[in-house]
Amino acid sequence: MEISALLTSAGINISICIVLLSLYSVLRKQPANYCVYFGRRLVCGGARRYDPFWYERFVPSPSWLVKAWETSDDELLAAAGLDAVVFLRMVIFSIRIFFITAVVCIAFVLPVNYYGQPRVHKEIHLESSEVFTIENLKEGSKWLWVHCLALYIITSAACLLLYFEYRTIAKMRLGHITGSAPKPNQFTVLIRAIPWHPEQSYSDTLTKYFTNYYSSSYLSHQMVYNNGIIQRLLHDAERMCLSLKHVSPEISCKPSLTPCNFCGGPTATNSFHILSNEGDSVKGMELGELTVTTTEQERPAAFVFFKTRYDALVVSEVLQSSNPMLWVSDLAPEPHDVYWRNLNIPYRQLWIRRIATLVGAVAFMFVFLIPVTFIQGLTQLEQLSHAFPFLRGILKKKFINQVITGYLPSVILILFFYAVPPLMMYFSALEGCISRSIRKNSACIKILYFTIWNVFFVNILSGSVIRQLNVFSSVRDIPAQLARAVPTQAGFFTTYCFTSGWASLACEIMQPMALIWNLVAKAISKNKDDSYETLRFPYHTEIPRLLLFGLLGFTNSVIAPLILPFLLIYFFLAYIIYKNQILNVYITKYESGGQYWPVFHNTTIFSLILTQIIALGFFGLKLSTVASGFTIPLILLTLLFSEYCRHRFAPIFHKHPAQVLIDMDRADEMAGKMEELHKKLHSVYSQIPLHLQKSSSKGECSTPFASQELPDPEKLKPEEGDAIAKELWGFQGNESGQEHDTKSCPSASSPKHLTPKMIELHKRN
């Protein structure tokens, strides 16, 4: 690929990024778009809504960049949780290591590659990208020691940074376990595969078992019921809420401090509040009080509560029966994290489901070879012109040639990739994951494997399906085959960085789908509902993207270092944009407690070893025995470092330390908090969403921006009488509050997905 084609692709994507970022800085200031660009802060009640009528809201400004940059890790941890901090630490690690890599390779490796053979060089934009690769060196070149030294520097820096990051995040993980707020899941064990006895119900069987074997530590339990009856109850409750919501406004309560027949509670205003105390009574209702939930609706699964954290840990770690397929115990996920639908799956089916999803994912990977093969044809115009003779005239035009080879292949590949995350998430749900975080983590790993296979290996190894299958005929020659193939695809990887990296980040901050839905709901459907669907951060798609670019950066560092500056720009943009989105758009309802970091660490180690194997193959092709001899110990040292980290840090992410839990139990007993915690346990794990929201409404929206307002609040309304801003979600019960016309945000969710603020809003409407 010529440098001019790379510059064409870079110019197109830079233009797209500038336009979208400028549009974002304007659209975010418009009051009608606050629910798109400030969804998290609106739901958490920490943002105030204004009606800015001043010219600056139509002028692009970089103020959001400064706010995102100045936010510290502690503020981010309080606002979005540990997973968000870990994700941004991944981005920071990538910035640090690729800054070192870019400095070393651009300063030393790139000049050696460019002047590797005596030749007459053209102007830079007319040169081929292969001139900047290691392929330009002649066989037996004495300058290959530069590449070997650069490889040692990159590997040493990466391992050192990985060690410090792993140690820091492991401490954060322990801090997450020992957080100030007691977590009910630490006292709870999920029991599945409860044996069936015709004489008694599952609940009686479970009670008899745990009072017999864990009488000193067993507290109580909450059965899991069939989803069907729960959904019917929720549907009936939603219909009742909607009918009460649309009661004629003439029916109201007079200002009084005595309970109202409709409101059920005292009120000092003449506003009509629907379900004021009735909602509390619904929230306080436990599943066992519902008469329709008979024993026939019980499932062989339950949440079992214990008196101390250590007791729950012991029960979750040991086998409960001589038959491992019965009485299966695991530490329960957090209440918001429970994936209730999968708790109905019989435990004996899980291994079959995992095999089936593995087969389905592998089959989809091979089906995906078809579009990848077509994309490879676009990068090889000679083959394309032979296959389609009628395109020869068009392909001779220089600009068309540059667009087809430099921009179109990566765009087509990205469009096909939009079908991958939903399918992998569906496969992960079929596996029977008990929590949403485990499901997302599983989908993340599947998308990671899929992306690395199709974007990296399939693209570099061949341009046709037949060659893709024959390339592995000789395993011994894999390093040499990879070494020959990587430089030929360096141009494609660079353009992929432009389109999947830069342009995708610009689209991420614009939120085009949410923006379009908001405009359609307001302009066409005249939606006046104030509720809307809050978003969760897509870790399962963004972490694989981050790791893929890390893999491309490492493998091309000493082979084709021209990609490194563009990758460094991507990581800088990713840090600012993702931080802004986490603080303003995405809400955290559940998290994995930093479980994504081991995935990042292991994939980075894999990328380093793959880079060393490719370099070893190239040193062999260039007949440099010295460089090859020094590369083999480097591979062994990297593997030893990985094994050390696996024993030193990885267990913290898979198990809870007993010492920490016992100290927490003793501290709570001395403070007299245990009885209060025990009273709350039974009501936390309820299949009724209203109750779940009540139990954690205080913790899910903690934010350091509670007093922070939306863009430029002091400049918005200088007129007298408008100094006091109207709360978006906090309507007052007086006449002026009722007369205030608040602009609405559309809803794509059902009432069962409403947040605590939305529930309160429904009660007051």
Side-chain angles (χ1 to χ4, degrees):
M1 182 181 293
E2 294 183 355
I3 297 298
S4 58
L6 289 179
L7 295 177
T8 301
S9 179
I12 294 173
N13 287 280
I14 289 173
S15 302
I16 292 173
C17 290
I18 292 175
V19 170
L20 292 181
L21 291 177
S22 300
L23 279 175
Y24 167 74
S25 65
V26 173
L27 292 175
R28 69 191 292 270
K29 301 176 185 178
Q30 312 309 313
N33 297 328
Y34 284 174
C35 59
V36 177
Y37 298 117
F38 297 96
R40 181 190 171 279
R41 285 164 54 186
L42 291 175
V43 170
C44 294
R48 298 187 178 187
R49 184 172 183 170
Y50 295 87
D51 189 15
F53 288 102
W54 92 115
Y55 72 96
E56 290 185 4
R57 72 185 178 108
F58 298 104
V59 179
S61 63
S63 59
W64 63 275
L65 292 169
V66 179
K67 292 177 182 178
W69 180 265
E70 291 177 348
T71 305
S72 65
D73 282 351
D74 293 336
E75 292 173 332
L76 190 69
L77 182 64
L82 182 58
D83 283 344
V85 176
V86 169
F87 177 77
L88 288 178
R89 298 292 297 188
M90 297 176 188
V91 181
I92 292 173
F93 168 84
S94 302
I95 292 173
R96 289 172 177 171
I97 185 59
F98 285 108
F99 178 78
I100 297 172
T101 304
V103 169
V104 172
C105 294
I106 298 298
F108 301 103
V109 176
L110 190 64
V112 171
N113 291 346
Y114 188 69
Y115 296 104
Q117 292 185 7
R119 57 187 298 178
V120 178
H121 290 283
K122 307 175 186 177
E123 296 182 10
I124 295 296
H125 68 279
L126 297 177
E127 291 278 14
S128 172
S129 60
E130 294 182 358
V131 176
F132 298 91
T133 67
I134 197 174
E135 210 172 40
N136 197 42
L137 288 176
K138 59 183 179 181
E139 293 184 1
S141 175
K142 297 180 180 179
W143 289 101
L144 285 172
W145 66 268
V146 176
H147 298 77
C148 185
L149 180 61
L151 192 63
Y152 264 86
I153 294 174
I154 294 169
T155 304
S156 301
C159 291
L160 191 63
L161 290 174
L162 279 175
Y163 173 79
F164 286 118
E165 289 293 338
Y166 217 152
R167 186 178 65 178
T168 301
I169 294 173
K171 292 180 180 178
M172 291 182 180
R173 163 81 175 171
L174 293 176
H176 174 75
I177 296 174
T178 61
S180 57
K183 299 178 176 61
N185 61 304
Q186 296 174 348
F187 295 85
T188 310
V189 175
L190 175 62
I191 300 294
R192 290 177 291 174
I194 301 174
W196 165 252
H197 293 288
E199 304 88 14
Q200 55 190 7
S201 64
Y202 286 118
S203 180
D204 295 336
T205 302
L206 187 141
T207 302
K208 182 178 179 181
Y209 177 87
F210 280 96
T211 52
N212 185 24
Y213 295 104
Y214 298 96
S215 58
S216 61
S217 58
Y218 170 70
L219 190 64
S220 62
H221 69 271
Q222 171 67 60
M223 295 301 301
V224 175
Y225 294 89
N226 192 348
N227 277 340
I229 192 165
I230 299 298
Q231 294 302 322
R232 288 197 297 273
L233 289 169
L234 292 175
H235 179 68
D236 294 339
E238 290 165 11
R239 291 174 57 189
M240 182 179 296
C241 288
L242 290 175
S243 56
L244 287 175
K245 178 182 176 181
H246 294 93
V247 170
S248 173
E250 297 177 357
I251 304 177
S252 60
C253 303
K254 297 180 179 181
S256 173
L257 295 177
T258 59
C260 174
N261 293 331
F262 289 99
C263 300
T267 176
T269 68
N270 60 354
S271 61
F272 182 71
H273 296 272
I274 297 177
L275 291 179
S276 177
N277 282 350
E278 284 81 357
D280 296 335
S281 63
V282 172
K283 292 180 183 180
M285 185 182 298
E286 297 178 357
L287 200 60
E289 300 175 14
L290 302 175
T291 57
V292 287
T293 54
T294 60
T295 57
E296 288 79 6
Q297 300 297 336
E298 290 179 351
R299 306 301 300 168
F303 292 95
V304 182
F305 310 111
F306 294 87
K307 296 179 180 179
T308 64
R309 298 174 179 87
Y310 179 72
D311 293 332
L313 177 66
V314 171
V315 173
S316 66
E317 293 293 335
V318 300
L319 283 175
Q320 304 299 325
S321 171
S322 57
N323 183 0
M325 298 292 285
L326 295 176
W327 298 104
V328 180
S329 58
D330 298 286
L331 273 179
E334 294 182 0
H336 273 90
D337 197 14
V338 178
Y339 195 52
W340 293 96
R341 181 181 302 175
N342 280 355
L343 297 185
N344 291 324
I345 300 174
Y347 183 79
R348 63 175 62 91
Q349 292 182 7
L350 294 183
W351 69 275
I352 303 176
R353 285 171 170 263
R354 293 187 182 119
I355 294 175
T357 53
L358 177 62
V359 172
V362 173
F364 183 63
M365 289 175 64
F366 282 99
V367 171
F368 208 79
L369 292 176
I370 299 173
V372 174
T373 304
F374 171 73
I375 292 166
Q376 277 296 314
L378 294 179
T379 61
Q380 302 171 4
L381 289 184
E382 294 181 358
Q383 297 181 7
L384 190 64
S385 59
H386 284 299
F388 304 99
F390 60 90
L391 295 178
R392 291 177 183 175
I394 300 176
L395 296 177
K396 290 181 180 179
K397 297 180 180 180
K398 187 175 181 180
F399 180 75
I400 299 297
N401 188 315
Q402 293 174 355
V403 170
I404 292 177
T405 58
Y407 182 70
L408 197 58
S410 55
V411 172
I412 295 175
L413 184 60
I414 291 170
L415 292 177
F416 277 106
F417 261 102
Y418 279 116
V420 176
L423 185 61
M424 294 304 173
M425 186 67 83
Y426 177 70
F427 283 155
S428 299
L430 287 180
E431 286 180 344
C433 300
I434 62 174
S435 68
R436 300 179 185 275
S437 60
I438 295 177
R439 180 187 61 159
K440 189 171 283 190
N441 197 311
S442 176
C444 174
I445 295 173
K446 291 181 177 65
I447 295 172
L448 176 64
Y449 291 160
F450 185 91
T451 305
I452 291 177
W453 166 253
N454 282 285
V455 176
F456 184 76
F457 286 104
V458 174
N459 273 289
I460 69 172
L461 292 178
S462 66
S464 66
V465 177
I466 297 176
R467 189 178 171 189
Q468 287 164 5
L469 297 177
N470 291 338
V471 76
F472 296 106
S473 58
S474 178
V475 179
R476 185 175 53 187
D477 296 333
I478 285 180
Q481 292 169 349
L482 292 174
R484 292 190 188 97
V486 169
T488 61
Q489 294 298 321
F492 171 77
F493 292 146
T494 306
T495 60
Y496 189 81
C497 173
F498 297 152
T499 51
S500 181
W502 297 1
S504 294
L505 286 175
C507 291
E508 162 64 29
I509 200 168
M510 271 293 294
Q511 294 289 316
M513 297 304 297
L515 184 63
I516 293 172
W517 171 251
N518 185 29
L519 294 175
V520 169
K522 289 180 181 296
I524 299 178
S525 64
K526 304 297 181 182
N527 194 324
K528 298 301 179 183
D529 190 4
D530 288 316
S531 62
Y532 58 93
E533 183 75 15
T534 55
L535 301 176
R536 312 288 181 267
F537 190 83
Y539 294 106
H540 62 295
T541 60
E542 301 311 313
I543 291 178
R545 192 196 308 273
L546 202 68
L547 288 169
L548 174 65
F549 286 128
L551 176 71
L552 297 181
F554 282 122
T555 53
N556 286 275
S557 57
V558 297
I559 305 298
L562 199 61
I563 193 178
L564 294 176
F566 306 115
L567 281 178
L568 199 56
I569 294 173
Y570 163 76
F571 289 124
F572 273 113
L573 283 175
Y575 178 75
I576 295 295
I577 290 176
Y578 285 136
K579 201 171 187 179
N580 176 78
Q581 298 297 90
I582 289 172
L583 291 172
N584 295 322
V585 178
Y586 297 109
I587 188 170
T588 302
K589 291 200 69 174
Y590 58 86
E591 58 178 334
S592 66
Q595 293 289 347
Y596 293 106
W597 179 258
V599 177
F600 181 86
H601 175 88
N602 295 333
T603 307
T604 304
I605 293 294
F606 168 78
S607 301
L608 288 172
I609 294 175
L610 181 63
T611 302
Q612 295 158 5
I613 292 174
I614 294 174
L616 180 64
F618 237 111
F619 294 152
L621 291 176
K622 297 298 181 180
L623 304 179
S624 177
T625 55
V626 176
S628 299
F630 276 98
T631 305
I632 295 175
L634 186 61
I635 298 175
L636 298 177
L637 290 174
T638 307
L639 290 173
L640 287 175
F641 169 76
S642 175
E643 190 68 13
Y644 169 77
C645 290
R646 189 175 70 86
H647 286 86
R648 172 62 181 84
F649 299 115
I652 298 175
F653 292 82
H654 301 294
K655 297 181 179 180
H656 289 65
Q659 178 184 5
V660 172
L661 297 183
I662 292 174
D663 291 339
M664 294 172 65
D665 289 333
R666 290 175 178 173
D668 287 340
E669 288 177 356
M670 293 178 63
K673 297 180 180 179
M674 276 298 186
E675 292 185 4
E676 182 181 355
L677 291 174
H678 293 165
K679 292 178 181 179
K680 295 180 179 179
L681 286 176
H682 190 271
S683 58
V684 168
Y685 286 93
S686 172
Q687 290 176 260
I688 300 179
L690 286 176
H691 179 71
L692 288 178
Q693 291 162 353
K694 179 184 176 183
S695 64
S696 61
S697 61
K698 295 181 180 180
E700 72 179 19
C701 289
S702 59
T703 171
F705 303 96
S707 60
Q708 185 173 343
E709 300 172 348
L710 293 181
D712 298 323
E714 297 179 357
K715 303 179 181 179
L716 301 186
K717 295 282 288 186
E719 293 83 356
E720 186 176 353
D722 292 330
I724 301 177
K726 307 300 183 185
E727 289 281 354
L728 177 60
W729 307 115
F731 292 104
Q732 301 297 326
N734 51 29
E735 294 181 0
S736 61
Q738 292 174 349
E739 292 172 357
H740 177 65
D741 184 18
T742 305
K743 295 188 177 182
S744 61
C745 301
S747 172
S749 63
S750 60
K752 66 180 180 179
H753 295 298
L754 297 180
T755 61
K757 286 289 180 181
M758 294 294 102
I759 297 169
E760 188 69 16
L761 184 61
H762 275 289
K763 287 193 286 183
R764 296 183 179 183
N765 277 348

